[in-house]
Amino acid sequence: MTLVSSSRLLLVCLSMAAVALAQEPPAHQAPPPSEAPPPPEIIHTPKPPQEPAVLEDGGFSIQPIYWFSKGQPTLRGGQVATTFESLNYPGDSNRPLGGEIGIPTGHSNTLRVSYFRVQGNANSTATQNVSLFGEGFTAGDYLTANYLVQSAKISWDYLSYTWHKPSTSIRLKTLYELQYVNVGTNISAPFKAVTTDASGNTDTNTASGTKTLFYPTVGMALGSELGHHFRWEIRGSGFGLPHRGNIWDTQATVAFRVGPIEILGGEKAYHFKTSPKSEQYFSQTLQGAFVGIRYYWGGLQ
């Protein structure tokens, strides 16, 4: 073979190798876009349902209350009493009257401000010598007494949990409260002669006294709807210290809705005892049915 033939053969081989290399992609080259794997699927987790940012039973509200209770207080001698210092108020008290304002605070939480007052009169005869708020009465004295009890409460009803049922929801609320009680009384012996001592001090045979209780209270409430027009609720709270005052109240309510108005009824109980550390203290338990009408600005939800 001549040198020219060998050169031509070498050129042909090099040309064929160059064509083959041009047709085969490099080992590190990425596959065509049509053969790339699909991107991973993004899974979106649904957010849990949120409670509406209003009261579950309406918006801003105002409610008068009439309470069918007739319990009278009791005046007792305290731990530092040196003589007999107790008095029962026989008979029945007037019906307590009160009211409540509800203010939505977002996410079904509610700020409630409530108040009630009850007053009464009682006549009795002292069965033994007794000292009441520094005034002495003797056995056989005819006594007339009147009193006034006033109670105020601020409660933040915090929605803590909701059980979602197929037909309704049951809501649990935690109650954080401040409660104030003031009770005052006047006691006199109207048929006892007025006397004047050697210093010119006149004894009108009248005793007056006031006791106050101010406590934080905590509790819980359960409530649910029964269809579109009815709902129910039970609640209770209280607080007390050993050998000092205590306070508690409970309530069971059924409400019927008509437009922006609710007609409420149920059973309510309320108890307080002022501190027995003083010479005298008051104790009272009120219990009975109640009715009320609640009006919602903006209508019911």
Side-chain angles (χ1 to χ4, degrees):
M1 181 180 296
T2 63
L3 180 59
V4 176
S5 299
S6 299
S7 299
R8 290 178 178 177
L9 179 60
L10 179 59
L11 289 174
V12 172
C13 292
L14 292 174
S15 300
M16 294 177 61
V19 172
L21 290 174
Q23 293 178 352
E24 181 179 352
H28 63 276
Q29 183 176 347
S34 60
E35 298 179 4
E41 182 180 359
I42 300 176
I43 301 176
H44 297 280
T45 304
K47 295 182 179 180
Q50 293 184 352
E51 297 292 334
V54 295
L55 282 172
E56 74 276 6
D57 54 348
F60 181 87
S61 65
I62 185 170
Q63 171 190 345
I65 299 173
Y66 185 81
W67 192 2
F68 297 93
S69 178
K70 55 184 180 180
Q72 299 270 57
T74 300
L75 181 63
R76 290 282 182 258
Q79 296 178 5
V80 299
T82 57
T83 61
F84 183 74
E85 298 183 353
S86 298
L87 177 68
N88 292 325
Y89 293 78
D92 297 335
S93 69
N94 297 330
R95 304 301 191 200
L97 299 175
E100 179 184 281
I101 295 175
I103 305 172
T105 56
H107 302 291
S108 293
N109 305 322
T110 315
L111 182 67
R112 299 188 187 276
V113 181
S114 59
Y115 167 86
F116 79 84
R117 58 180 287 162
V118 56
Q119 59 186 18
N121 301 282
N123 301 324
S124 62
T125 300
T127 59
Q128 64 185 88
N129 294 344
V130 59
S131 176
L132 303 174
F133 295 106
E135 180 68 28
F137 300 97
T138 57
D141 285 346
Y142 180 78
L143 304 179
T144 64
N146 61 71
Y147 70 91
L148 172 64
V149 177
Q150 299 183 86
S151 173
K153 178 170 66 174
I154 299 176
S155 175
W156 187 43
D157 300 2
Y158 178 76
L159 181 63
S160 301
Y161 192 77
T162 302
W163 289 273
H164 295 283
K165 303 296 182 180
S167 58
T168 187
S169 295
I170 300 176
R171 298 174 176 87
L172 170 66
K173 286 192 171 185
T174 308
L175 311 179
Y176 303 96
E177 304 171 336
L178 291 174
Q179 296 206 42
Y180 169 83
V181 181
N182 177 272
V183 52
T185 187
N186 295 298
I187 306 165
S188 65
F191 303 131
K192 191 173 182 178
V194 176
T195 60
T196 302
D197 61 18
S199 301
N201 299 316
T202 301
D203 186 358
T204 60
N205 305 307
T206 301
S208 299
T210 301
K211 296 294 180 181
T212 298
L213 185 67
F214 183 72
Y215 271 170
T217 55
V218 294
M220 292 189 300
L222 281 174
S224 181
E225 297 180 351
L226 301 174
H228 183 68
H229 296 286
F230 290 91
R231 68 177 181 89
W232 62 266
E233 182 184 70
I234 55 175
R235 60 173 50 220
S237 63
F239 183 79
L241 294 172
H243 310 297
R244 294 188 180 272
N246 58 62
I247 186 171
W248 57 260
D249 66 309
T250 62
Q251 181 174 312
T253 305
V254 176
F256 173 67
R257 306 179 177 187
V258 181
I261 296 175
E262 274 190 328
I263 301 173
L264 303 96
E267 187 78 9
K268 179 178 176 65
Y270 178 87
H271 169 84
F272 73 88
K273 183 183 75 173
T274 61
S275 175
K277 292 286 187 179
S278 58
E279 291 186 1
Q280 290 173 304
Y281 67 95
F282 283 99
S283 177
Q284 185 175 18
T285 301
L286 297 167
Q287 182 177 0
F290 76 95
V291 293
I293 298 177
R294 181 178 293 178
Y295 178 79
Y296 293 91
W297 271 265
L300 296 172
Q301 303 299 318

